[in-house]
Structures are given as C-alpha cells and as structure tokens.
Amino acid sequence: MRDTQLTDRRPYIIRALYEWMIDNDLTPHLVINIDVPSVIVPIEYSSNGQIILNIAPNAVDGIDFKKERISFSTRFQGVLQHILLPPVSIIAIFARENSEGMVFENHIDTGNAHFPPPLHEYKNATKNKIILSIIKKDDTGQPQKEQVPHQADNKKKLEINNNFPGLRLV
C-alpha cells in the first residue's frame, strides 16, 4: 500500500455516472452547493444554498470534466452563462426520469481555510443602518440614489426590498 494520499474519486464517479445516463437516454442533473468557493453559477436561480443544473448534451455546450473542475456553458432565460463547478461542490448527480444516481457525502475538506457563513444563513445586517444603496434613473434620466434602511422589526419591508436577484451579501 502506498503512503501517498489518493486523489479525490468524486470527479471520476460524476463523469462515469454522466456517461452511463447519456448512454441510457436519461437526463443527468447536478445538485450544487453554491456556498463552496470557486463555484460560478447564476445564484438568482438558487434556493437554500443549492442549485439544480440539467447537464444533458442538448442543455449545455462544451461540457468538460476535469479532476479539479467541471465547466460548461448553458442558457438561463436566454442569457448565456459559463458555469464552473469544483467537484467538491457537487452534492448529487441524478437522472430526471428515474432519480437513479448518487448523493455524495457532505464533508468538504477545507483545511485551515475560513469561509463566511453560507449565503442563505444571513438574516440581518449587523453594523450599519444602511443595508443597500440602489442607483436607479428617475423620469428625467438622472441617477438617483435610494437608501434601503435596516428594518429588523419590519420583516414585510425587508421582503419587499429583497427582490434584487443576483446580489450577494459578502
């Protein structure tokens, strides 16, 4: 037995299951943890820190399985997006037709790296009274800055101001 550490088997299993699904005329989907560093996906289509992606050949272009990443291009509501997924971000691969596939263990080896809490766990801003500044044009075409105050007691007001997909709290 070797003393060296083995490479991660997840990218090999994902590629093998993908090929098996395609060979059997199934539609492969990936469940992605968007909170893993280096994940590039359109977060406005995510829910609870996850996004499900159809990776069938008719849904993606240029899919590339490598040990360190899976990448491809696809369209979301007609807009071309480039997707980049470290294998460790993939929670599961499954076929839409029969749910055959595999769920991977949740453990992510991050070494000594410190990551902020997952995006979906942020509830309220803590230090500043201003959460967000929105720049929009008024009727004359002049930019106007609108301040959105922190409203801890008024959840309804927060929900109204939470309609800005694609904004990430960093």
Side-chain angles (χ1 to χ4, degrees):
M1 184 174 235
R2 299 184 302 174
D3 288 337
T4 60
Q5 187 175 3
L6 298 174
T7 59
D8 185 14
R9 65 180 173 254
R10 189 178 305 209
Y12 299 96
I13 293 169
I14 293 166
R15 182 176 40 243
L17 285 170
Y18 171 83
E19 291 175 2
W20 175 81
M21 289 175 194
I22 298 304
D23 289 348
N24 287 283
D25 295 322
L26 298 172
T27 309
H29 285 68
L30 296 175
V31 180
I32 308 300
N33 177 350
I34 67 165
D35 297 317
V36 173
S38 301
V39 169
I40 299 175
V41 295
I43 63 170
E44 58 269 24
Y45 297 99
S46 67
S47 175
N48 296 323
Q50 297 179 355
I51 188 169
I52 299 174
L53 300 172
N54 177 353
I55 59 168
N58 63 351
V60 301
D61 187 38
I63 193 162
D64 186 22
F65 292 92
K66 294 206 169 159
K67 285 189 281 187
E68 65 280 353
R69 65 166 169 72
I70 297 170
S71 63
F72 55 90
S73 296
T74 189
R75 292 191 180 274
F76 286 84
Q77 293 186 346
V79 178
L80 185 64
Q81 302 274 345
H82 185 72
I83 308 296
L84 184 67
L85 309 167
V88 71
S89 69
I90 298 172
I91 298 169
I93 180 171
F94 68 94
R96 180 182 63 202
E97 293 80 2
N98 60 10
S99 298
E100 287 286 328
M102 180 176 281
V103 176
F104 297 99
E105 58 189 44
N106 290 337
H107 174 71
I108 298 173
D109 183 18
T110 58
N112 294 328
H114 173 70
F115 301 110
L119 233 180
H120 60 279
E121 290 183 9
Y122 282 100
K123 303 264 188 281
N124 295 318
T126 54
K127 289 186 178 182
N128 300 330
K129 293 191 180 213
I130 301 302
I131 295 177
L132 177 67
S133 292
I134 302 170
I135 307 292
K136 60 183 182 179
K137 293 185 178 183
D138 63 9
D139 294 337
T140 64
Q142 297 297 319
Q144 271 189 324
K145 187 174 181 181
E146 180 180 314
Q147 303 275 329
V148 180
H150 173 62
Q151 300 286 332
D153 299 329
N154 190 348
K155 287 185 180 179
K156 185 170 176 110
K157 196 160 191 176
L158 275 179
E159 289 171 9
I160 291 170
N161 292 328
N162 199 18
N163 292 326
F164 299 101
L167 294 180
R168 280 187 88 154
L169 182 59
V170 192

